[in-house]
Amino acid sequence: MYELDHIVHFVDKPEQTMKEMQAHGFHVVQGGQHEMWGTYNTLSYFDLTYVEWIGINNEAQFEIAAGKPYTLHETYAKKDRKNGFTRMAIRTTTIEQDAEMFRQADLEVHGPERFTRTRPDGTVVSWQLLHIGHPEQHFDFPFFIEWDMSNEERRAQYNALNIIAAHPQGDIKLTEVIYLVNRLDYIKALQQLGNLQAEEHFDERLNAMKYTLYLPNAKIVCYSAQGEGEIWDAILADGLGIHSVVFEGAGQQQTIICENATYVMK
């Protein structure tokens, strides 16, 4: 089963972003160091789905990481290190089988590879990552993650550590990720491979095709412009990829712009 795991937002200083998002009513915690990538993070959880604010703290190590195909580090480098939403991770429990399935579908597959992160308290978190892509696509697919603990174990541990906790803004849930894409065929191929529920229709107001993928814990909404209009303009202004993230259950409706990323609170 596939679920939305997390959204990666590159920022200059994750510790500063933590303070900014806390001021907006988010519960945010220190993450830790990714020594193998030259990065570090802060985190905000919505049950087991979370937003990860990542910054660079080792340039040499980051350059090595950015040289690996279809990684979030490569994506950030290709965008000339423009801060904002960079990639999305899908949680899986069948990462080895997923890798073989994507190979059979003629996608380029890298991994799975095992990684770790050390928390500020010295405990170690471990997981596997799988990256896929196609040289003809102009936006980056989500990558896949399999944690070494079950959802139940992680939820219990993160609650005990106050990593998962109530948000001052309200009972917030991350419910929707909005993508801007140049074509839908690769998205439809992923939908078929993952056997996901989906629907498609033409949005006349936006002059765009809207293709929605339904995961058990969130919607992935992809817009492909069919000519001039809001989506066309947004692609010209911001490029392809994640455009915004939508939350429900907030105490007040607002749109938060943080380092080129749009958080919509409903």
Side-chain angles (χ1 to χ4, degrees):
M1 179 177 68
Y2 299 125
E3 297 178 296
L4 174 61
D5 192 73
H6 67 277
I7 307 293
V8 176
H9 178 179
F10 264 91
V11 297
D12 286 334
K13 294 184 179 300
E15 63 274 26
Q16 184 59 44
T17 305
M18 178 173 71
K19 294 177 182 177
E20 181 177 346
M21 298 307 288
Q22 285 173 335
H24 286 295
F26 285 72
H27 173 71
V28 187
V29 298
Q30 295 281 358
Q33 307 282 333
H34 308 113
E35 294 181 1
M36 63 288 190
W37 297 325
T39 60
Y40 69 113
N41 63 8
T42 57
L43 309 163
S44 185
Y45 274 79
F46 311 88
D47 191 34
L48 289 178
T49 303
Y50 64 98
V51 176
E52 177 181 24
W53 293 288
I54 290 185
I56 298 170
N57 60 357
N58 185 319
E59 281 287 343
Q61 202 62 39
F62 179 81
E63 288 292 342
I64 295 171
K68 296 185 177 180
Y70 304 117
T71 61
L72 63 94
H73 314 95
E74 184 198 48
T75 300
Y76 186 52
K78 286 192 304 186
K79 292 185 174 183
D80 297 322
R81 298 197 183 186
K82 180 182 178 182
N83 288 343
F85 294 129
T86 306
R87 293 288 288 279
M88 177 180 74
I90 299 295
R91 185 162 60 245
T92 180
T93 56
T94 55
I95 202 163
E96 293 283 357
Q97 297 95 307
D98 297 334
E100 182 57 29
M101 176 180 67
F102 293 132
R103 288 191 191 97
Q104 292 294 325
D106 293 326
L107 292 170
E108 293 188 10
V109 177
H110 297 267
E113 294 181 86
R114 185 171 298 280
F115 297 99
T116 62
R117 171 173 64 81
T118 303
R119 295 190 182 117
D121 64 3
T123 59
V124 176
V125 187
S126 58
W127 65 91
Q128 295 183 76
L129 293 183
L130 176 68
H131 298 93
I132 63 172
H134 192 285
E136 294 182 5
Q137 73 186 52
H138 295 285
F139 64 95
D140 291 317
F141 284 143
F143 60 96
F144 292 79
I145 185 167
E146 181 171 329
W147 296 95
D148 285 349
M149 291 193 298
S150 69
N151 284 356
E152 293 74 18
E153 290 172 322
R154 290 175 64 231
R155 186 178 288 110
Q157 183 184 89
Y158 292 4
N159 274 293
L161 293 171
N162 202 44
I163 294 171
I164 297 176
H167 294 271
Q169 176 71 264
D171 185 19
I172 311 172
K173 291 182 171 52
L174 200 168
T175 58
E176 190 172 328
V177 183
I178 297 175
Y179 265 86
L180 305 182
V181 302
N182 62 318
R183 51 196 288 183
L184 291 171
D185 51 347
Y186 292 124
I187 300 294
K188 292 178 180 179
L190 283 183
Q191 177 270 325
Q192 292 173 352
L193 288 169
N195 195 29
L196 302 174
Q197 289 188 339
E199 63 179 358
E200 178 180 10
H201 78 273
F202 176 68
D203 189 314
E204 188 172 348
R205 182 181 66 84
L206 298 176
N207 193 21
M209 294 303 300
K210 178 182 180 182
Y211 190 76
T212 304
L213 290 169
Y214 292 93
L215 300 175
N217 61 342
K219 295 188 296 185
I220 313 302
V221 182
C222 302
Y223 287 101
S224 177
Q226 302 301 293
E228 293 185 359
E230 282 188 40
I231 300 301
W232 180 278
D233 292 342
I235 290 173
L236 289 177
D238 304 321
L240 302 172
I242 301 174
H243 175 265
S244 54
V245 175
V246 179
F247 301 82
E248 295 182 1
Q252 66 179 86
Q253 295 186 11
Q254 61 176 320
T255 297
I256 301 166
I257 307 296
C258 174
E259 296 207 42
N260 302 313
T262 302
Y263 296 80
V264 180
M265 314 300 294
K266 293 184 176 180

